[in-house]
Amino acid sequence: MVGEKEEDENQAHSDDDEEEYVVEKILKHKVNKNNEILYFLKWKGYPLEDNTWEPASNLNCPELIAEYERESNEKKRKSSNRVSFDVERKEQKADKKTEKPVPDEKKKQTKRKQTDEGSSKKKKKSEKHLNGFDKGMEAEEILGATETSGEVHFLIKWKDVNDAELVPSKIANLKIPQMVISFYEARLTWSSNSNRAADDSEESKNNSKTEVEVGN
């Protein structure tokens, strides 16, 4: 009896030691000297001072990684839109000045044509509702990603098939989570290396200017 009691106590201690930690949000990322991506994580149920850096290879949360990537791309897009906004407005004003008035009959024909094209496109979209996963196909590689109507889609190459297909990220995250993580890891590594090279180039220019001033 004593042996059984000790075994039960040891089992209880083992269960306590195997507490599962859940990621609440990814706050930022960096790349170490070994080109390994590290994510700065907020843990669910723990204060901010318990946030830690964890390698991407240890994570199993493709949806949070996809959300972090989408937010990063949105910030970059907003900053670039601010630069091109004035140019775009000037081009629109110039186009309005050169436009010629269109007769009412031609306007009606144009609207009718646009309506017919829109209805035909909707029919085609409704017909193409099955993706490769629904057809039992096997994903071979993620070729790229794009954002449509606020949702990320992956361009997936299917095994033994020449054509690639856009699949919503919410489906890919469930079907091929490790492939999604590897795709984001490769993109973030390339982006971080590019930024590091730009910083090194800027530092080199500053050092050159300093040497010239000292020589004078």
Side-chain angles (χ1 to χ4, degrees):
M1 295 293 294
V2 176
E4 291 180 358
K5 183 177 181 181
E6 290 179 352
E7 184 177 351
D8 292 340
E9 291 179 353
N10 292 334
Q11 181 65 30
H13 287 304
S14 176
D15 292 340
D16 293 339
D17 294 338
E18 295 178 357
E19 181 180 358
E20 182 178 358
Y21 295 92
V22 179
V23 179
E24 181 177 338
K25 189 174 183 180
I26 299 175
L27 303 177
K28 54 185 176 180
H29 78 280
K30 65 180 180 179
V31 179
N32 60 19
K33 295 180 180 180
N34 297 325
N35 282 335
E36 183 182 19
I37 294 179
L38 301 176
Y39 291 105
F40 193 57
L41 307 178
K42 168 68 173 67
W43 298 101
K44 190 173 184 179
Y46 291 87
L48 295 177
E49 52 265 25
D50 289 339
N51 294 354
T52 58
W53 288 98
E54 299 292 338
S57 57
N58 289 355
L59 303 182
N60 190 21
C61 51
E63 292 183 357
L64 290 180
I65 295 176
E67 180 182 359
Y68 173 77
E69 177 74 7
R70 183 180 62 79
E71 291 177 353
S72 299
N73 291 335
E74 186 66 23
K75 291 179 181 178
K76 293 178 182 178
R77 188 181 299 109
K78 286 182 179 180
S79 62
S80 63
N81 287 342
R82 290 173 186 169
V83 176
S84 60
F85 181 71
D86 292 335
V87 177
E88 185 176 344
R89 288 187 61 186
K90 290 179 181 179
E91 291 178 352
Q92 290 177 351
K93 289 180 179 179
D95 291 339
K96 287 181 180 180
K97 289 180 181 180
T98 56
E99 282 181 357
K100 295 182 179 181
V102 180
D104 293 339
E105 187 61 29
K106 288 186 177 180
K107 287 182 179 179
K108 292 179 181 179
Q109 292 177 358
T110 302
K111 288 182 179 179
R112 192 179 301 114
K113 184 178 180 181
Q114 290 175 348
T115 303
D116 294 339
E117 290 178 352
S119 60
S120 63
K121 288 181 179 178
K122 288 181 180 179
K123 289 181 181 178
K124 290 180 180 179
K125 286 183 179 179
S126 62
E127 292 173 357
K128 296 181 180 179
H129 61 282
L130 296 177
N131 58 54
F133 293 117
D134 297 327
K135 299 175 183 178
M137 300 168 68
E138 181 180 353
E140 181 177 349
E141 183 183 3
I142 297 178
L143 302 178
T146 184
E147 186 173 346
T148 305
S149 301
E151 183 180 4
V152 177
H153 287 69
F154 294 114
L155 183 63
I156 295 179
K157 170 72 171 60
W158 304 105
K159 192 172 183 180
D160 299 327
V161 177
N162 294 329
D163 297 333
E165 179 185 13
L166 283 173
V167 177
S169 60
K170 60 184 179 182
I171 296 177
N173 291 339
L174 295 175
K175 298 292 185 178
I176 48 172
Q178 291 302 323
M179 190 177 294
V180 172
I181 292 175
S182 299
F183 172 75
Y184 281 123
E185 184 176 353
R187 289 187 62 187
L188 291 174
T189 302
W190 180 87
S191 176
S192 299
N193 289 339
S194 298
N195 292 336
R196 188 184 304 167
D199 293 341
D200 293 342
S201 177
E202 186 66 25
E203 183 179 354
S204 177
K205 289 181 181 178
N206 293 336
N207 292 337
S208 299
K209 289 182 180 179
T210 304
E211 292 176 359
V212 172
E213 291 177 357
V214 172
N216 292 339

